[in-house]
Each structure stands twice: as structure tokens, then as C-alpha cells.
Amino acid sequence: MIPVLQKLSGLYVWYALVVLTLGYLTAELGHFLIGVTSKATAVDIHYGDIACQWLPPPHTEYQKELSDACTAALDKITCENTTQCEWNYNGLGYDYQVLAGPSFIAVYTIAGIFLGVAADKYKRVPMVATCILIIGVSCLLIGASTEYWQLLVLRMVFAAGEAGLNPMSTGILSDLFPEHLRGLVMSLFNWGIYGGIGLSFPVGRYITELNAWGLGWRVAYYFSGIIALIVGVLAAISLKEPERTAIGEETEEQQDTGAKKESDSTWKIMLQPRFIMLCIAASIRHTGGLCFAYNCDLFYRDIFPHLDLGGWLFFVTFVVGGVGVIVGGIVSDKIVAKMGIKSRAAVLAISQLIATPFAFGSIYMGPVGAMITLAISYLFAEMWFGILFAILVEIVPVSVRSTTVGVFLFIMNNIGGNLPILMEPVRKATSFRDSLAIFYAGAYLISSVLFAITMMMMGKTKKETKNAANVEGVANEGFTSLENISRTNSQPANSRTIESHHL
């Protein structure tokens, strides 16, 4: 039995990755459900804009023409005099945008800093389990809400729970896995985002339409809350705290100098130009992703009301997005072994540039073309998140890793999470299509340029550093023969220099 248990113990790190990823997935499912259930929730609780809408869902082109006549009615009297139209809440408006974005982000970002600081000082596993349990309880209570203010407050409680998952889980996983797997592992963990978004479409759409026990949209939140509670209990009783280890640049410098580098303060790290530019680039990219995630279901319902695209949106986000994020991690791991951290930023820039034209296609093309280009766009665009956090943990000392990740998320989410509210005035001034093109596809393009600038700030590649170190090693051969004899007896010349670049 002992050999078998020893073999199984080697799988623990992967088991920990699965549990943490499931926790993140359930959190993101609850986070993005509001974008799918918003219309049903607004009709029930009464918030946001009221507009003329066709009563039954249209399934043919002729019915689509009838629904367009409803949409053209701008007042209640005209609407009610039009066949099969109703004057009701449509799930959009400033109330919805505040509920989906700023109310969540305000708490999420601030709590993330405090929880990141706590994670650098105390055990992370118990705190992660507690965060997942908070998510589960708040999700259940959201399903029981009867007033808009209750939704608002509970979204904030939910945000406080989710705030600790990324910085704490990122720190745990970076301590459990070696560098050659780090990009892949961070990508697998961050697939939880796309898994959660993807599941929000079938859970939010079809469970709501089932109207089980007459509860409608509420069952979707009850379902999500119960799953989160199960994962939270599993994390609490089965995960153990790993030993904190130095990684990335911190490890390389220790091997080069033979001495432990004194850790920089969080403020010193944040004031580095590369950190600032990485924050700006990630914030713009996050804006694009959130604008699409919060509005895509409402958008495709609006422009293709005669088609049910819920299944395709699930496939694109859950499957294609998952493939993209994993491929990004594998590619960056392969390249970083030869070129260093700088290469990860290059993958970020190139992937977002390739995704941009397809993102525009997903907005302006017909239903078939939109879904095909959306899938291609997602494949490349979603390579970014795992790579981003692989870069982040590799340029940050272990002593302030979770704190810095928390601060980074504070900046990225405050910018990326609040800019989507600007879509609302732009949508009303232009159109849903144009506003989404600006804030979603346009953000991809801008972030690509900014990631390229970040790449140039990352310093020398591994190959360049290795060559410089080898030249220094040759010069040292001019020392005394006694030193050369000592070196020969202990280790080959330059072995320490070479070893330091093969982590």
C-alpha cells in the first residue's frame, strides 16, 4: 500500500489545481449570471430601462419583422397598440450596468488588496476555502432577493468573497509547480473564468426558462450557490498549505550571485515602468473582455431575436476560450524556456492583434459569420489571462507576491471594471453594435500595442543573459592556476552560470 500511496501523493498538486479551478469557476459563474438573467431579474424585481418588446420569442424571419415593429415603438401607448408587444423592463440601463460592474468592482478591488496582504502573512488555504463559502452563501441569498438594493448589497458581499481567490490561489499554485509548467498551470486555473462565463449561458438561459417550482431566474443562483458550498467544503478539508518558494527572476538572481536577494517593497515593485505598463495594458484588455461578457447575451438577443444562440455562446466561451487559454500557457512555457519572461509578453501582444479583426467580425457579420469569427477571436484573445499572471508572479518576490497580485487586480479591475459603464451613453448616442465595437474589439487592438511596449520593457532575454554570463566566465579563466585547479576538482568552469539559466 505504501508504494501506491506514494504514487498517488504525486498527483496531489494536480488535485489542488482542480479544486482551486473549480472554486474560481463557480465564482465566475455567479459573477456573470447577472448578464444572462438580467431581463428576467429586472422584470421580477423592477430595475433599469423599460422598452417595447415582442411578447413571445420570435423563431422565424416573419416573426422577427414583427418584433422589429415592437422595438420601433418608443412609448407605452404605441407599444400596447402594436400586435403582441409589451411595455416592460428589458434588463438594460444604468441600474444594470452599475449592478454588473461598479458595485461589484468597488468591493472586489479593495478587498483584494487586504486579502492579498493577509495571504503573504497567514495561511492561504483556510482563507481560500472561506472565500468560496462566502461566494456560495451570497449566491443563494441573491436568488432570494426581492428588492434592487438587496441585489446590490449581495453582489458586493459576493465580490468580497471572490476577491481573495485569484491572489491566494495564484500564490499557492506558483509554490506547487515548477517554472516549465507555470504558464500551463496558470492558464488551467484561469480557465475557470471562461468555464464560469460559458456555463452562465445555459444555466442562466435554460434553467430560467424551465421556471422550476415557479422560481424562474432564482433557481440558477440556487444551483450556483450549492455548487460553491460543496467546493468550499472540499477545499477546507482536503487542501494543505504549501511551503513558500522563490521563483522566476528572484531565483535566477539568487543563483547568479549565490546570495539571497533582499526583497523589494511592494511600492518599489509597483513603480517599475514595466509593472505600470503591464497594469495599463491589462486594464484595457480587461475592459474589452468585460464589455463583451456583460453584454454579449443581451446583444445577440437584440440583433438576432429569432435565433437561440445560447448553445453556441456556451461552446465558444467554455470550449474555445478554454482551448485558447491552455494553448497560450503551453506556447509561453515553450518559448520562455529559451527566451525568458520577455517572450510571454510577446505572446500577449501577438495573440491580441490576431484576435482583433475577428472580434469586429463577431459584431458586424450575420449570425453564422458572427459565431465563426467569435470562435476564432476567442481562440487567440483568451490566451492572455494565464500568461499575464505567469509574468506577474515571475517578476515579483515571494515575500510580497500575493500583495502585489492584489494591488495589480485592484488597478486592473478598477479601470477595466468601470469603463464598461461608458458603453451605455455611447449605445444610446450611436447603436449597440457601434458601442460594443469601440469598447470590446477596439480594446483588443489597443491592448496589443500596449503589451508590445511592455515586452520592450522586460529587459534582456535568457539567451542574451546567458551569453553575457559566458563571456564573463571566459574572462575569469585568467585567474590563478590555484583557482582553476580548485574549480576543476569541484565543478566544470561556468557550470554555475549555465545552471542558473536552466531552472
Side-chain angles (χ1 to χ4, degrees):
M1 288 298 294
I2 294 177
V4 172
L5 291 175
Q6 287 177 339
K7 290 181 180 179
L8 291 176
S9 65
L11 299 175
Y12 168 76
V13 293
W14 295 103
Y15 167 77
L17 172 62
V18 170
V19 172
L20 293 174
T21 302
L22 286 175
Y24 204 21
L25 185 151
T26 55
E28 291 298 288
L29 171 58
H31 178 186
F32 289 102
L33 263 181
I34 191 64
V36 185
T37 66
S38 183
K39 183 176 179 179
T41 307
V43 170
D44 189 7
I45 293 182
H46 299 172
Y47 67 80
D49 288 355
I50 300 176
C52 189
Q53 302 158 76
W54 202 55
L55 196 54
H59 298 293
T60 67
E61 284 294 334
Y62 172 68
Q63 290 173 326
K64 181 180 182 298
E65 292 177 7
L66 294 178
S67 71
D68 289 342
C70 294
T71 305
L74 302 178
D75 59 80
K76 184 176 181 180
I77 296 175
T78 306
C79 179
E80 292 177 343
N81 290 333
T82 307
T83 305
Q84 291 186 302
C85 293
E86 66 170 349
W87 185 255
N88 210 337
Y89 294 91
N90 64 2
L92 292 169
Y94 285 107
D95 285 348
Y96 165 68
Q97 296 294 345
V98 169
L99 187 64
S103 66
F104 182 94
I105 295 301
V107 177
Y108 180 84
T109 53
I110 295 173
I113 293 179
F114 289 105
L115 291 173
V117 172
D120 284 327
K121 296 182 178 180
Y122 307 107
K123 290 186 176 181
R124 296 160 292 185
V125 168
M127 289 190 286
V128 165
T130 302
C131 286
I132 299 173
L133 292 173
I134 290 172
I135 287 167
V137 173
S138 58
C139 213
L140 289 173
L141 293 175
I142 288 174
S145 299
T146 57
E147 301 285 345
Y148 177 76
W149 69 266
Q150 294 171 353
L151 285 176
L152 208 61
V153 171
L154 289 168
R155 281 277 290 179
M156 292 179 179
V157 175
F158 185 100
E162 188 175 352
L165 291 188
N166 197 302
M168 292 179 190
S169 299
T170 298
I172 291 170
L173 293 172
S174 63
D175 290 334
L176 288 174
F177 288 90
E179 182 195 53
H180 71 276
L181 291 173
R182 194 165 298 126
L184 173 61
V185 168
M186 292 302 172
S187 295
L188 287 170
F189 170 70
N190 284 289
W191 170 81
I193 297 174
Y194 310 105
I197 295 174
L199 284 174
S200 71
F201 295 111
V203 171
R205 276 190 179 217
Y206 306 131
I207 289 182
T208 298
E209 291 173 3
L210 283 175
N211 196 26
W213 305 287
L215 294 172
W217 62 274
R218 300 177 187 277
V219 179
Y221 285 93
Y222 294 149
F223 170 81
S224 304
I226 291 171
I227 298 299
L229 290 177
I230 294 172
V231 176
V233 171
L234 196 61
I237 64 177
S238 63
L239 298 186
K240 57 185 179 181
E241 185 73 16
E243 181 181 354
R244 300 174 194 260
T245 56
I247 62 173
E249 292 182 344
E250 190 176 17
T251 303
E252 286 189 13
E253 186 156 345
Q254 287 181 26
Q255 291 177 337
D256 286 340
T257 62
K260 186 176 180 180
K261 180 178 179 283
E262 184 179 349
S263 296
D264 293 330
S265 67
T266 305
W267 286 109
K268 186 174 181 180
I269 293 168
M270 290 190 299
L271 292 175
Q272 293 177 357
R274 64 180 181 177
F275 184 89
I276 295 172
M277 185 55 66
L278 188 65
C279 279
I280 296 172
S283 298
I284 298 301
R285 172 59 183 81
H286 200 42
T287 298
L290 288 179
C291 282
F292 183 77
Y294 287 147
N295 294 282
C296 65
D297 188 72
L298 294 166
F299 172 71
Y300 288 121
R301 284 178 190 250
D302 182 65
I303 63 170
F304 306 128
H306 60 300
L307 296 174
D308 181 0
L309 298 176
W312 185 257
L313 290 174
F314 165 75
F315 173 77
V316 170
T317 52
F318 191 91
V319 179
V320 178
V323 170
V325 74
I326 292 170
V327 168
I330 294 173
V331 169
S332 72
D333 279 340
K334 294 295 183 182
I335 299 177
V336 80
K338 298 180 179 179
M339 297 178 61
I341 300 171
K342 189 174 184 178
S343 63
R344 295 202 199 273
V347 176
L348 282 178
I350 295 170
S351 63
Q352 301 313 297
L353 183 61
I354 295 173
T356 298
F358 297 104
F360 280 106
S362 70
I363 299 170
Y364 289 105
M365 297 184 73
V368 176
M371 293 300 102
I372 292 174
T373 52
L374 178 62
I376 298 172
S377 174
Y378 244 74
L379 181 62
F380 290 98
E382 303 315 321
M383 294 171 69
W384 84 290
F385 217 66
I387 302 174
L388 174 70
F389 282 93
I391 293 173
L392 193 57
V393 298
E394 288 177 345
I395 65 174
V396 174
V398 62
S399 60
V400 292
R401 185 182 300 150
S402 293
T403 302
T404 308
V405 171
V407 173
F408 184 89
L409 287 170
F410 174 85
I411 298 170
M412 184 180 79
N413 284 293
N414 264 297
I415 298 174
N418 288 310
L419 281 180
I421 200 171
L422 296 178
M423 269 195 65
E424 193 59 26
V426 175
R427 179 181 72 87
K428 291 180 177 179
T430 56
S431 67
F432 209 162
R433 265 196 168 105
D434 292 341
S435 63
L436 202 56
I438 294 169
F439 288 92
Y440 154 51
Y444 280 12
L445 180 60
I446 296 172
S447 69
S448 172
V449 176
L450 295 177
F451 280 130
I453 296 173
T454 305
M455 177 194 67
M456 293 185 284
M457 294 180 173
M458 282 293 171
K460 294 180 179 180
T461 64
K462 273 191 176 183
K463 185 175 180 180
E464 292 170 339
T465 308
K466 179 178 176 180
N467 290 341
N470 285 339
V471 170
E472 183 180 350
V474 172
N476 286 342
E477 294 302 319
F479 291 154
T480 63
S481 59
L482 180 62
E483 180 180 355
N484 288 333
I485 293 172
S486 175
R487 219 183 225 178
T488 303
N489 291 335
S490 59
Q491 61 179 351
N494 296 332
S495 65
R496 192 185 70 170
T497 303
I498 297 172
E499 180 181 298
S500 69
H501 298 284
H502 292 75
L503 303 180

